[in-house]
Amino acid sequence: MRPFVLNYALPVESSAAADPYTYDSTQQLNILSDGRPAITDRAVLLAAGTTTSTAGSQTHFDD
């Protein structure tokens, strides 16, 4: 039996562009190659865009 979701799953395409930062699990931050947090680089922020989550406000009365 094939799970329903596999009818819609797409293979992950590898991107030709490399991220200018890497994740540092000890600091729990994205770090640039020169050691600065990625949040300090305006060009990275403009290229990456923003994300928001509304799940908390829709599922919890105290958010």
Side-chain angles (χ1 to χ4, degrees), residues 13-63:
E13 296 179 15
S14 60
S15 174
D19 290 331
Y21 54 85
T22 57
Y23 181 72
D24 183 352
S25 61
T26 58
Q27 297 182 39
Q28 297 183 355
L29 290 171
N30 290 321
I31 303 295
L32 299 170
S33 60
D34 62 2
R36 293 181 299 134
I39 191 76
T40 61
D41 191 320
R42 187 173 179 86
V44 170
L45 291 178
L46 290 172
T50 61
T51 61
T52 59
S53 172
T54 59
S57 62
Q58 292 178 2
T59 59
H60 300 286
F61 68 93
D62 61 346
D63 284 349

